[in-house]
Amino acid sequence: MAMKKFINNPDNLTPELLEGYCAAFPQKVKLVSDKIVMRANPKDESKVAIVTLGGAGHEPALSGFVGEGMLDASVVGDIFAAPGAPKVVEALRLLKRDAGILFVVLNHEGDVMSGNMAMEMAKEEGINVRMILTHEDIAPGADAPIENRRGLAGCIPLYKVAGAAAEAGKSLDEVYAVAEKINDNMATLAVALKTATHPQSGDAIFDLADNEMEIGMGQHGEAGTGRSDMLTADETAVKMAAQVLPAANAGSGDKVMVMINGAGATTLMEQFIIFRATKNYIESQGATVAHALVGEYLTVQEMGGFQMFIAKLDDELLDLLNAPADAVSWTVR
Amino acid sequence: MAMKKFINNPDNLTPELLEGYCAAFPQKVKLVSDKIVMRANPKDESKVAIVTLGGAGHEPALSGFVGEGMLDASVVGDIFAAPGAPKVVEALRLLKRDAGILFVVLNHEGDVMSGNMAMEMAKEEGINVRMILTHEDIAPGADAPIENRRGLAGCIPLYKVAGAAAEAGKSLDEVYAVAEKINDNMATLAVALKTATHPQSGDAIFDLADNEMEIGMGQHGEAGTGRSDMLTADETAVKMAAQVLPAANAGSGDKVMVMINGAGATTLMEQFIIFRATKNYIESQGATVAHALVGEYLTVQEMGGFQMFIAKLDDELLDLLNAPADAVSWTVR
Amino acid sequence: MPATVDYDAFTGMLKTAADRIITNRDHLSKLDAATGDGDHGTAMAKVANAIIATIDSHEGNDLKKLLKAIGWAAMSTDAGSTSPLYGSLFVGMSEAVPEGSGELDCQVLASVMESGAAKLRKNTKAEVGDKTMIDTLVPALAALRAAADSGKAIDEALSDAETAAATGAASTKDLKATFGRAKNLGDRSIGHLDPGATSMSLLFTGLKEGLAAN
Amino acid sequence: MPATVDYDAFTGMLKTAADRIITNRDHLSKLDAATGDGDHGTAMAKVANAIIATIDSHEGNDLKKLLKAIGWAAMSTDAGSTSPLYGSLFVGMSEAVPEGSGELDCQVLASVMESGAAKLRKNTKAEVGDKTMIDTLVPALAALRAAADSGKAIDEALSDAETAAATGAASTKDLKATFGRAKNLGDRSIGHLDPGATSMSLLFTGLKEGLAAN
Ligand SMILES: Nc1ncnc2c1ncn2[C@@H]1O[C@H](COP(=O)(O)OP(=O)(O)O)[C@@H](O)[C@H]1O
Ligand SMILES: Nc1ncnc2c1ncn2[C@@H]1O[C@H](COP(=O)(O)OP(=O)(O)O)[C@@H](O)[C@H]1O
Ligand SMILES: [Mg+2]
Ligand SMILES: [Mg+2]
Ligand SMILES: [Mg+2]
Ligand SMILES: [Mg+2]
């Protein structure tokens, strides 16, 4: 059976998509050295730069968040595969500055290995860089060791607050502190309904029965923790929010950010319905939704499902979320 | 087999999604009288208002484009079904002003009937309103009678240029002229790869064989004109662009806008690859891409496929496209 | 059988017609799935429910006002082409009910239906043969008019109209659609009954049965 | 069989190992599909191609430089966990090649491999029994070291290493994964061979066969 995707040679997916992306938005992004997406108008050297790394196939993540007020560079690997450390070091070298670089890595083994190796090499070259690891997945339990907690779509709000702090001229320590604050107070849980096709192999990345859903599914089809019969939108939202809200250390009296992140084939219609139920649940717990995102931010090809992300906010984080930004996939006037 | 969607009662889809949408973005939109999405901060009464109508199930369209610099109100029907004329008149009444209202209707029979009836009633009430019909689908041929040419995603760039002109204080005649200019110089062609499930009936909205695609498919599963074996991304893009570019009256020496609008399950990765090939084709014809959108603007549930939209631009249209806007799904700083 | 229908009889006929539609909801949607977007049953059920709800909540027994209210309610059902088409059918019917009239005789009934049809047809260029509800409506009203003109009683006249409606609806099977969503199918629409023609035929069946039942 | 391997012999061994991997590309991806994300064959083929391309374009016959270049090329293959793990394996091997050395005897070969393994293991806390490539690498190097210490010839030593590697790879079938993407499966990972352990075993087979062929 033919793969029902619009592609050419499966080996060229990443270069072609990056070329298309940067050609579509030349006023915002440019492609450097094949796999590095950088801001078309670089920020001032006196400000901290924000860099991330990660595989392709999750569009718009991660490169959709390169832009004023967010990332300075995204280093792209191949489909679902981290870029090698040498390419990361190249990006760090391009952005080397006295103000320093915040380097955001999502907790997936390949990414972490490349990240660690790049850090080692960058330090040898005297590059001022600090690494922060996102690991907000609560599928293995909110108290599971960090190694077991994957980095999901939570990196994106983290880019936003760190990017805004950097744009405001904060020091590397201050930018790191802001990133750490949201990192320590955010949680994500994913649910899958329908599988996706790996665009290189053409295989389904997992199987689910016609009436099944799986809570805790990872971003590459890694198994989750709870297969069950399908629930309604409201039941699903409440079941998940009841775990995510406390895992973000939030409860009565707190202001939170909610992101409903569509995995690919789950419609925005459904995401709004899920958001509605999530907000109602959060309010029933005495907390308020002070910031929301609903849409496709980090996808898994055409997987059906979504990630529910919640972060506890204070005024500083809320202001940083509302600060101007001009990335292709997150623009704030 | 269960419908693989996160929904509650299928009869409540539209109210729930509208409630979720407006609750997620209260600083931008508000829900009035159940089915009217309006700007949270209305524009000055001295400026022309822009209103549209259309069915739900195409999220983010149409209500995602309500906001500063774009629509003042979107009147929503039910899934894939136009709102009734009384509701449209209600919206027109709310926005009644001496400066007048531009009323944008997409060419689908139900929409047009409601639109015409609403115009009749509005005129009886002395509301100053002009209607414009989008009909840029070229599936039945670029020269087919207007009745046969559906309004596809092209309404969205039209909202943008008309909205920007209105925001700039232009008169109703001037706003209408701008809308008419893009309307006369735009064309769209859709292609489908995979069907979608009607979220109320649970049925597939059409069938395609495992190796088939269909060029010209409509926004509700209405049949297109050309079923064929699947082509590569590049072949598909070139085949479509070769029809769309001339239908937008564009060729050598012209500046154009391109929108690749994902139908739902076609990934942004694929859309970037399609955009790349489209741009290459356009440049091979001596034209240049001066503005681009790539993403999901008007979807058909989880249908696989996309719409290719091209408009010929002059400097005025390009400036209006680049003017600030603050709708949820189209923000320009 | 009296020679006229009064408010109660007419609302009884309308409710029976609405029930007929609601009973056939899934059947109509299946027909629409073959050539359109699969929602015609949902759409017609909304209109039918609007008819019933408007009648149930209507105060007094002014048929002219009632039909106008049904028209507005039908238009507000957000049911694709169906809402404006049926909305204008009822608004148009209302326009031909003589001011203050309590009862309709067979001639007036035919005029009322013709006025509704004329308003409905302002929405569309579809003619007989285009595979739409027009293929049912036009012959049904021609039969109603012929019966009225030849002095038949209302029940006979409605029976003639029903027969003509059913024949008209059946004729759509072999036609090629040139209006509505089905037109996009072109020749592939041939062999399928038009859903809108089918529901319009159910309406005439319901009117006839509703009269008999009251 | 000489007591040492020189630059040509060693690159021949590496190329044979790379060929082995490439031939098993689909098999490795299938194994990964069962417990991970289905790309291990693609990943290892990229590393194998990087080995071959680096050897083919390398000038001179400095093994130390060559291995470092292979390490960097492997790291740059964008192949998930595989790139950094194999990248550091080769960089680590390079570090243990004596400066200016043209030939490796059995003892030095064992040290070179051990240095590579040590660098690789800096990336991961995985131990034997965790259902990863470590289950192959550790017993294979233990066998190589034992053979070298007992004075065996290089071909015999590599043969011992290959046998131990194969046994180690096979042992992963009954283990529960605690590292890599497969760990998310928990108990459901039991019953599947680990893809990384399998490819590492193919590498040892290739090294042995490559030596024999030259
Ligand atoms: N332009 C038209 N003129 C007359 N009848 C029409 C027209 N368009 C649609 N119809 C009728 O409406 C029916 C479809 O109704 P429905 O499915 O409710 O609307 P939609 O096509 O908006 O989904 C068709 O079968 C046809 O009989
Ligand atoms: N943390 C780790 N330590 C040791 N080996 C690992 C680790 N993670 C993965 N591996 C090995 O890599 C193999 C998977 O490789 P590959 O599929 O190429 O990478 P990815 O998991 O990034 O897709 C596993 O079978 C395992 O042997
Ligand atoms: Mg329909
Ligand atoms: Mg419809
Ligand atoms: Mg893998
Ligand atoms: Mg992988």
Side-chain angles (χ1 to χ4, degrees):
Chain A
M1 171 174 160
M3 213 192 304
K4 284 246 157 168
K5 300 204 180 196
F6 294 106
I7 59 176
N8 299 303
N9 179 347
D11 287 341
N12 295 342
L13 288 169
T14 307
E16 287 181 6
L17 86 87
L18 291 177
E19 190 187 322
Y21 171 59
C22 293
F25 307 106
Q27 70 292 7
K28 297 198 180 187
V29 285
K30 65 173 182 234
L31 192 58
V32 176
S33 185
D34 298 337
K35 297 282 188 85
I36 307 177
V37 175
M38 299 195 69
R39 277 176 56 172
N41 303 307
K43 74 151 74 98
D44 198 274
E45 282 240 351
S46 65
K47 295 177 179 177
V48 171
I50 320 279
V51 175
T52 199
L53 104 182
H58 298 296
E59 289 63 39
L62 304 174
S63 306
F65 305 100
V66 172
E68 194 187 326
M70 292 193 74
L71 294 169
D72 294 274
S74 140
V75 190
V76 186
D78 201 348
I79 302 296
F80 298 168
K87 190 60 75 180
V88 179
V89 175
E90 208 179 319
L92 296 173
R93 217 178 274 140
L94 286 168
L95 288 163
K96 181 175 176 178
R97 58 194 57 211
D98 294 340
I101 303 174
L102 181 73
F103 176 40
V104 187
V105 179
L106 284 69
N107 195 21
H108 296 275
E109 282 179 344
D111 298 44
V112 173
M113 291 178 199
S114 275
N116 284 335
M117 220 170 282
M119 284 298 287
E120 209 179 286
M121 296 173 179
K123 293 226 158 118
E124 276 172 26
E125 296 191 17
I127 298 174
N128 178 18
V129 50
R130 285 186 75 174
M131 177 167 144
I132 186 163
L133 189 71
T134 67
H135 48 78
E136 90 282 10
D137 182 16
I138 59 163
D143 299 326
I146 284 179
E147 298 97 86
N148 294 344
R149 298 179 53 189
R150 295 167 289 209
L152 303 181
C155 58
I156 297 165
L158 187 145
Y159 301 151
K160 180 70 180 71
V161 295
E167 213 70 58
K170 303 275 185 199
S171 71
L172 180 53
D173 283 349
E174 290 167 328
V175 172
Y176 186 91
V178 155
E180 182 114 289
K181 181 157 62 177
I182 195 163
N183 209 24
D184 288 345
N185 291 286
M186 69 186 192
T188 302
L189 191 57
V191 60
L193 265 190
K194 285 191 286 193
T195 188
T197 313
H198 194 293
Q200 285 171 327
S201 68
D203 295 331
I205 65 173
F206 58 85
D207 289 306
L208 274 175
D210 280 351
N211 192 37
E212 255 182 351
M213 60 183 231
E214 176 153 0
I215 288 182
M217 179 76 74
Q219 271 163 202
H220 315 87
E222 308 96 332
T225 42
R227 290 202 178 199
S228 73
D229 279 357
M230 276 191 58
L231 302 175
T232 65
D234 286 359
E235 289 163 353
T236 307
V238 168
K239 183 168 180 179
M240 291 170 70
Q243 296 170 64
V244 182
L245 185 69
N249 308 319
S252 184
D254 288 325
K255 276 181 305 202
V256 301
M257 168 180 176
V258 175
M259 168 165 56
I260 303 298
N261 171 54
T266 286
T267 59
L268 195 49
M269 172 191 85
E270 292 160 83
Q271 294 169 50
F272 288 142
I273 293 172
I274 289 286
F275 174 80
R276 173 181 172 274
T278 306
K279 178 169 187 273
N280 287 343
Y281 176 81
I282 289 170
E283 289 174 352
S284 78
Q285 301 303 299
T288 41
V289 177
H291 196 93
L293 290 182
V294 183
E296 292 181 358
Y297 291 87
L298 191 161
T299 63
V300 186
Q301 297 289 309
E302 78 284 16
M303 181 167 115
F306 65 89
Q307 295 182 10
M308 179 186 289
F309 162 95
I310 297 178
K312 185 169 79 171
L313 301 179
D314 60 10
D315 290 340
E316 181 186 32
L317 290 176
L318 186 55
D319 286 348
L320 293 167
L321 286 170
N322 287 325
D326 204 16
V328 170
S329 297
W330 193 339
T331 310
V332 182
R333 277 201 70 198
Chain B
M1 171 176 159
M3 215 192 306
K4 283 244 157 168
K5 300 204 181 198
F6 294 106
I7 60 177
N8 301 303
N9 179 347
D11 287 339
N12 296 342
L13 288 169
T14 307
E16 287 180 6
L17 86 88
L18 291 177
E19 188 186 322
Y21 171 59
C22 293
F25 308 105
Q27 70 293 6
K28 297 198 180 188
V29 285
K30 65 172 182 234
L31 192 57
V32 177
S33 183
D34 298 336
K35 297 282 187 81
I36 306 176
V37 175
M38 299 196 68
R39 278 176 56 171
N41 303 307
K43 73 151 74 97
D44 197 275
E45 282 239 352
S46 66
K47 294 177 178 178
V48 172
I50 320 280
V51 174
T52 200
L53 104 183
H58 297 296
E59 289 63 38
L62 302 172
S63 307
F65 305 100
V66 173
E68 194 188 327
M70 291 193 76
L71 295 169
D72 294 273
S74 139
V75 190
V76 186
D78 201 349
I79 302 296
F80 297 168
K87 191 61 77 178
V88 179
V89 175
E90 208 180 318
L92 295 174
R93 217 177 274 141
L94 287 168
L95 289 162
K96 181 175 175 176
R97 58 194 57 212
D98 294 341
I101 303 174
L102 181 73
F103 176 40
V104 186
V105 178
L106 285 68
N107 195 21
H108 297 274
E109 283 179 342
D111 300 44
V112 174
M113 291 179 199
S114 276
N116 284 335
M117 220 169 282
M119 284 297 286
E120 208 179 288
M121 296 172 178
K123 292 223 159 123
E124 277 172 25
E125 297 191 16
I127 299 174
N128 179 18
V129 49
R130 285 185 75 174
M131 177 168 146
I132 187 165
L133 190 71
T134 68
H135 49 78
E136 89 283 10
D137 182 16
I138 59 163
D143 299 326
I146 284 179
E147 298 97 86
N148 295 343
R149 298 180 52 191
R150 294 166 291 209
L152 304 181
C155 59
I156 298 164
L158 187 145
Y159 301 151
K160 179 70 179 73
V161 296
E167 213 71 59
K170 301 278 184 198
S171 71
L172 180 53
D173 283 349
E174 289 166 329
V175 172
Y176 187 90
V178 154
E180 183 115 286
K181 181 157 63 179
I182 195 164
N183 208 25
D184 288 345
N185 291 286
M186 68 188 194
T188 302
L189 191 57
V191 61
L193 264 190
K194 284 192 287 195
T195 188
T197 312
H198 194 293
Q200 286 172 325
S201 68
D203 295 330
I205 65 172
F206 59 86
D207 289 305
L208 274 176
D210 280 353
N211 192 37
E212 255 182 349
M213 60 184 230
E214 176 154 359
I215 289 182
M217 180 75 76
Q219 270 162 204
H220 314 87
E222 308 97 331
T225 43
R227 292 202 177 200
S228 73
D229 279 357
M230 276 191 59
L231 303 175
T232 65
D234 287 358
E235 288 163 352
T236 307
V238 168
K239 183 169 179 176
M240 292 171 70
Q243 295 170 64
V244 182
L245 185 68
N249 307 319
S252 185
D254 289 325
K255 279 181 303 203
V256 302
M257 167 180 177
V258 174
M259 169 166 57
I260 302 299
N261 172 55
T266 286
T267 60
L268 196 48
M269 173 192 86
E270 293 161 82
Q271 294 170 49
F272 287 142
I273 293 172
I274 288 285
F275 175 80
R276 172 182 172 276
T278 306
K279 179 170 187 272
N280 287 344
Y281 175 81
I282 289 170
E283 289 174 352
S284 78
Q285 301 303 300
T288 40
V289 177
H291 196 91
L293 290 181
V294 184
E296 293 180 358
Y297 291 87
L298 191 162
T299 63
V300 185
Q301 297 289 307
E302 77 285 14
M303 180 167 115
F306 64 89
Q307 295 182 9
M308 179 187 290
F309 163 95
I310 298 179
K312 184 169 80 171
L313 301 179
D314 59 11
D315 290 340
E316 182 186 31
L317 291 175
L318 186 56
D319 285 348
L320 293 167
L321 286 170
N322 286 326
D326 203 15
V328 170
S329 297
W330 193 339
T331 311
V332 182
R333 276 201 70 198
Chain C
M1 179 63 50
T4 60
V5 288
D6 61 7
Y7 183 90
D8 287 342
F10 200 73
T11 53
M13 288 160 62
L14 287 173
K15 280 188 160 188
T16 308
D19 286 341
R20 269 262 159 192
I21 301 281
I22 291 168
T23 315
N24 282 279
R25 179 186 169 133
D26 290 349
H27 171 58
L28 293 170
S29 282
K30 286 232 170 63
L31 290 180
D32 193 30
T35 53
D37 61 354
D39 63 357
H40 188 60
T42 316
M44 285 305 302
K46 284 183 184 172
V47 168
N49 284 318
I51 292 171
I52 296 169
T54 308
I55 293 172
D56 287 348
S57 67
H58 196 74
E59 295 184 358
N61 59 359
D62 185 330
L63 211 49
K64 196 174 176 72
K65 280 197 185 140
L66 173 76
L67 288 169
K68 186 168 180 190
I70 290 178
W72 278 76
M75 264 184 231
S76 299
T77 51
D78 298 350
S81 319
T82 294
S83 321
L85 289 167
Y86 275 84
S88 33
L89 177 69
F90 285 100
V91 170
M93 284 167 67
S94 163
E95 288 169 357
V97 175
E99 205 71 57
S101 131
E103 326 227 311
L104 311 179
D105 66 17
C106 195
Q107 288 279 350
V108 177
L109 178 64
S111 302
V112 163
M113 297 292 293
E114 281 162 357
S115 170
K119 187 106 186 172
L120 181 156
R121 295 187 71 179
K122 277 202 177 165
N123 288 297
T124 167
K125 295 184 189 144
E127 299 286 344
V128 170
D130 286 333
K131 196 176 183 111
T132 71
M133 56 171 65
I134 302 297
D135 290 311
T136 304
L137 184 60
V138 166
L141 292 195
L144 184 64
R145 167 58 60 198
D149 286 353
S150 67
K152 288 193 182 170
I154 292 191
D155 55 348
E156 272 182 89
L158 280 175
S159 181
D160 289 0
E162 186 211 7
T163 307
T167 309
S171 77
T172 61
K173 184 154 187 174
D174 297 328
L175 295 172
K176 173 171 154 182
T178 45
F179 282 83
R181 301 191 196 278
K183 74 162 172 246
N184 302 293
L185 273 181
D187 285 341
R188 282 190 269 160
S189 69
I190 296 173
H192 298 280
L193 280 175
D194 178 64
T198 307
S199 56
M200 183 63 86
S201 164
L202 289 168
L203 185 104
F204 279 96
T205 306
L207 291 177
K208 186 200 90 173
E209 291 179 352
L211 181 70
N214 278 267
Chain D
M1 179 64 51
T4 60
V5 288
D6 61 8
Y7 183 91
D8 287 342
F10 200 71
T11 53
M13 289 160 63
L14 287 173
K15 280 188 161 189
T16 308
D19 285 341
R20 269 262 161 196
I21 301 281
I22 291 168
T23 314
N24 283 278
R25 178 187 170 133
D26 290 350
H27 172 59
L28 294 169
S29 281
K30 286 233 171 65
L31 291 179
D32 193 31
T35 53
D37 61 354
D39 64 357
H40 188 60
T42 316
M44 286 304 302
K46 284 183 184 174
V47 168
N49 284 318
I51 293 172
I52 295 170
T54 308
I55 293 172
D56 287 347
S57 67
H58 198 73
E59 294 184 359
N61 59 1
D62 185 329
L63 211 49
K64 195 175 176 72
K65 280 197 184 140
L66 173 77
L67 289 168
K68 186 170 181 191
I70 290 177
W72 278 75
M75 263 184 230
S76 299
T77 50
D78 299 349
S81 318
T82 294
S83 319
L85 289 166
Y86 275 85
S88 36
L89 177 70
F90 284 101
V91 170
M93 283 167 67
S94 163
E95 287 168 358
V97 175
E99 205 69 57
S101 132
E103 325 227 312
L104 310 178
D105 65 17
C106 197
Q107 289 277 352
V108 177
L109 179 64
S111 302
V112 164
M113 298 291 292
E114 283 163 355
S115 170
K119 187 105 187 173
L120 181 156
R121 295 188 70 179
K122 278 200 175 169
N123 288 298
T124 168
K125 295 184 188 143
E127 299 287 344
V128 169
D130 287 330
K131 197 179 182 106
T132 71
M133 56 170 65
I134 301 297
D135 290 311
T136 304
L137 184 61
V138 166
L141 292 195
L144 184 65
R145 169 56 61 200
D149 285 355
S150 68
K152 288 196 184 169
I154 292 190
D155 55 350
E156 272 184 89
L158 281 176
S159 180
D160 288 1
E162 185 210 6
T163 307
T167 308
S171 77
T172 61
K173 184 154 188 174
D174 298 329
L175 295 172
K176 172 172 157 179
T178 45
F179 282 83
R181 301 191 195 278
K183 74 165 171 243
N184 301 294
L185 273 180
D187 285 339
R188 283 189 269 161
S189 69
I190 296 172
H192 298 280
L193 280 175
D194 178 63
T198 307
S199 56
M200 183 64 87
S201 164
L202 289 169
L203 185 105
F204 278 96
T205 305
L207 291 176
K208 186 200 90 174
E209 290 180 352
L211 181 69
N214 278 266

